[in-house]
Amino acid sequence: MTGTLNPAGEHPAEIPEYPMARAAGCPFDPPPALHAMQEEGPLAKVRLWDGSTPWIVTRYAEQRALLADPRISVDVTRPGYPSPTPIRGSSPISFILMDDPEHARLRRMVTAPFAIKRVEALRPAVQKITDDLIDTMLAGPKPVDLVEAFALPVPSLVICALLGVPYADHDFFQENSKTIIKRSATPEQRSAALGRLAGYLNDLLDEKLANPGDDMLSQLTERIKTGELSREGAAQMGVLLLIAGHETTANMIALGTLALLENPGQLALLRDADDPKLVSSAVEELLRYLHITHNGRRWVALEDIEIDGQVIRAGDGLIVANDIGNRDPGAFPDPDRLDIRRDARHHVAFGFGVHQCLGQPLARMELQVVYSTLYRRIPTLRLATDLDQVPFKHDGSVYGVYELPVTW
Amino acid sequence: MKVTIDQDRCVASGQCVVAAAEVFDQRDEDGVAVLLNPDPPAEQAADVRHAAVVCPALAIHIEE
C-alpha cells in the first residue's frame, strides 16, 4: 500500500510547507528553500495550510510557458485550487479571479486608461504630487516614516484621481486594504474589510450615477447603464482597482528605497546619472530583484499538462512562484545581485499571460518619477534605524515594510 | 522581417509600445495593440523581437 506516498512519489513529511520563511538578515532575497528547489528542477510539491500538496513552479522558462497556457484556471471555486487562505469561493475580487472569456470581457472595460500614452499624459501630475510631498517632508520634523509621509500617499493620490475616489477617505480604504492583503487576517476579518470597501464603492457609484465626472468610476457607471456590467460587478472592480492601485506601488517605493540605501553604489549611480534610460532600467531591475508579490500566483490545471517529463494532472493545484523565477540564473546572470544597469525588462514581477498586471504602465511611470526625484531632492537620505529593526511585511501577501524611518 | 499581431489575444499591457513605439501603438477605446508598420526596418528589428518576448499574451508573431 502506497497510501503514504503522494503522486510525485515523495514521502509527505519531505514536502516543505509553503509559503516559506526568508533567511534572517536577507530581507530582499526569496526564501533559501525556494532557491534549493529551483536548483533541483522546475517543478516540486509543497504543502499548504490545509494540508493540500499543490505543485510549485520555480524556473523562469517553465513559469512563462505555464502562465501563457490556456489549460490553467484562476477560478478559486474549482476543486484543487491552492487557496492561500481559509477563505474560498466567496467575495471574488473581480476579474483577477475569473477565467477568459469573462475575464477578458471585464478587463477590457478598464484597459484604456492604462494605455501607454494615457499614462504618459499623467506624468507631470505625478511629478507634482511627488515634489509636493517631498517639500512637505523637508519642511517637517525628522526622522520621518517614509511609508506614511511619501510611499503610500504618492500612489494613493494618483489612483484616487484616476478612479474618482476622494483622497480624504484614505485612512478608511488604506486600513481595509491592509486587512485584505494580510496573510494573518482571519477569513472573517478579510470578508468584513472587503464588504466595507464594496459598500463604500457602491455609495461612490451612486454619486457618479447622479454626477458623473471625468474618472474611471464614472466610466463604469456607463457600463452599468448599458447592462454590460452589474452594479455589484462594478463595485468589485472598483475595490480591485483601488487596492491594486496603491498597495503594490507603495511597497515598491519604500522597499526599493531601502534596497538602494543598502546598496549605496547603485543608489549613487541612479542619483547622479541624469538619464531616463537608466531610471527606467533601475525600475525594471528593482521590480525583478524585490518581487513583492511573494505568495505565488495560484492556479488549478484544467487538463493534464506535461512539464519537464512530469505530468500535472487535471485538477492539480499550481503555484507559480515568480519571485524565485526572477532569480533564475538561466534568465538573469548573477541573479542575486542588484544591478540597475542590467537588462531586466523580461522579468515576471507583473506576472505573465492574460492575467498580467493591468496597471503596470502606471506603476512603472510612478516608480520612474519617484526613483528619479526622491534621492536627488534628498541626496543625504538615510535609514534612521538599524536594518534589523525595520518591520518587514513577512505576513503580507504583498511584501514590503510597515514603516521606514528615514532622516537626512 | 514581417510582423503580425493577434488583437483578440492582446491584453493591452502596452509593453510592445514601450519596446518599439515606431512599430506598435494602442487603440484609444481599449488599449489593444495596433500595428503601425508590419515590415519594420532592420534597425528596429531587435526592439520588435523584444516586444514579442515581453508580450504577456504571446500575441506578436514575427517572420524573419
Side-chain angles (χ1 to χ4, degrees):
Chain A
M1 178 72 194
T2 56
T4 55
L5 295 181
N6 72 3
E10 298 148 297
H11 193 275
E14 292 165 9
I15 300 177
E17 285 192 21
Y18 184 88
M20 291 134 174
R22 292 170 194 258
C26 302
F28 307 119
D29 293 331
L34 278 181
H35 269 288
M37 283 182 148
Q38 186 184 64
E39 275 175 35
E40 289 289 313
L43 209 56
K45 285 263 178 171
V46 285
R47 182 178 304 281
L48 300 190
W49 61 275
D50 60 356
S52 65
T53 53
W55 298 98
I56 187 162
V57 190
T58 54
R59 287 191 187 164
Y60 176 86
E62 284 78 6
Q63 289 184 350
R64 272 180 51 121
L66 254 183
L67 290 176
D69 195 317
R71 295 172 296 174
I72 59 171
S73 165
V74 281
D75 183 351
V76 295
T77 64
R78 283 183 185 274
Y81 180 87
S83 180
T85 61
I87 193 166
R88 289 185 72 129
S90 58
S91 311
I93 307 182
S94 196
F95 52 81
I96 57 167
L97 296 178
M98 292 178 191
D99 294 327
D100 281 348
E102 186 61 2
H103 157 264
R105 189 183 77 85
L106 293 173
R107 180 178 164 125
R108 276 198 184 185
M109 290 183 189
V110 285
T111 39
F114 298 104
I116 302 300
K117 285 177 183 164
R118 295 273 297 272
V119 166
E120 274 309 309
L122 297 175
R123 191 182 284 267
V126 174
Q127 184 68 57
K128 180 164 188 335
I129 286 171
T130 303
D131 281 325
D132 288 352
L133 286 165
I134 295 172
D135 287 341
T136 306
M137 253 192 335
L138 287 172
K142 56 187 182 182
V144 66
D145 173 16
L146 191 79
V147 174
E148 203 192 326
F150 184 73
L152 205 44
V154 170
S156 277
L157 283 159
V158 173
I159 198 68
C160 281
L162 203 58
L163 286 178
V165 169
Y167 181 71
D169 298 335
H170 69 98
D171 283 341
F172 166 78
F173 63 74
Q174 284 168 358
E175 265 319 301
N176 284 295
S177 301
K178 234 186 247 174
T179 304
I180 290 164
I181 63 164
K182 211 176 175 128
R183 273 178 183 167
S184 56
T186 65
E188 293 74 27
Q189 287 170 332
R190 187 172 292 110
S191 194
L194 268 171
R196 282 191 293 272
L197 277 182
Y200 174 71
L201 263 298
N202 215 25
D203 292 347
L204 272 178
L205 286 169
D206 269 337
E207 288 172 31
K208 305 290 178 186
L209 275 163
N211 294 303
D214 183 20
D215 55 57
M216 286 183 74
L217 288 183
S218 298
Q219 286 148 19
L220 288 183
T221 62
E222 292 302 314
R223 307 277 187 172
I224 298 173
K225 286 184 202 158
T226 59
E228 292 169 89
L229 193 57
S230 70
R231 185 57 190 265
E232 195 195 355
Q236 278 180 5
M237 217 186 261
V239 172
L240 166 65
L241 294 167
L242 185 58
I243 299 177
H246 72 273
E247 276 293 348
T248 43
T249 310
N251 283 306
M252 274 304 300
I253 293 173
L255 194 63
T257 298
L258 181 56
L260 288 166
L261 290 173
E262 293 297 310
N263 288 272
Q266 296 288 303
L267 177 57
L269 263 178
L270 177 61
R271 188 183 49 218
D272 301 339
D274 189 14
D275 176 5
K277 273 197 178 146
L278 184 68
V279 170
S280 118
S281 165
V283 168
E284 301 310 314
E285 171 65 348
L286 283 160
L287 284 164
R288 177 195 77 84
Y289 181 75
L290 297 172
H291 194 102
I292 55 172
T293 51
H294 67 159
N295 244 6
R297 296 195 158 88
R298 308 212 176 197
W299 306 80
V300 56
L302 295 172
E303 297 173 28
D304 290 359
I305 301 169
E306 194 181 328
I307 284 192
D308 192 44
Q310 303 206 65
V311 179
I312 296 166
R313 297 283 174 203
D316 282 357
L318 277 169
I319 295 176
V320 181
N322 284 149
D323 48 351
I324 199 67
N326 272 335
R327 299 292 187 100
D328 185 338
F332 306 96
D334 198 1
D336 296 325
R337 194 162 58 91
L338 176 69
D339 175 5
I340 64 169
R341 283 176 295 192
R342 80 161 81 218
D343 183 358
R345 294 176 298 167
H346 53 297
H347 66 73
V348 281
F350 292 116
F352 197 70
V354 297
H355 280 273
Q356 195 186 50
C357 177
L358 167 73
Q360 57 178 304
L362 181 63
R364 285 196 163 96
M365 184 271 282
E366 290 179 282
L367 293 175
Q368 287 163 7
V369 170
V370 163
Y371 293 157
S372 66
T373 307
L374 180 62
Y375 322 121
R376 272 181 221 158
R377 293 272 324 265
I378 317 181
T380 56
L381 188 77
R382 64 179 196 276
L383 196 56
T385 184
D386 292 331
L387 183 62
D388 60 10
Q389 295 300 308
V390 174
F392 288 94
K393 294 183 178 176
H394 292 292
D395 65 338
S397 58
V398 181
Y399 189 60
V401 292
Y402 284 110
E403 282 172 36
L404 192 65
V406 292
T407 191
W408 51 88
Chain B
M1 174 183 273
K2 291 273 181 238
V3 186
T4 52
I5 56 175
D6 182 342
Q7 291 185 319
D8 290 336
R9 294 184 72 144
C10 174
V11 295
S13 77
Q15 295 214 65
C16 54
V17 180
V18 177
E22 302 86 358
V23 180
F24 304 98
D25 198 358
Q26 286 173 286
R27 287 200 302 230
D28 289 341
E29 65 268 33
D30 56 10
V32 165
V34 180
L35 196 53
L36 298 176
N37 182 3
D39 188 13
E43 64 268 24
Q44 290 167 8
D47 289 344
V48 174
R49 277 187 216 109
H50 181 74
V53 167
V54 294
C55 173
L58 304 178
I60 300 171
H61 299 281
I62 298 171
E63 265 182 65
E64 298 278 352

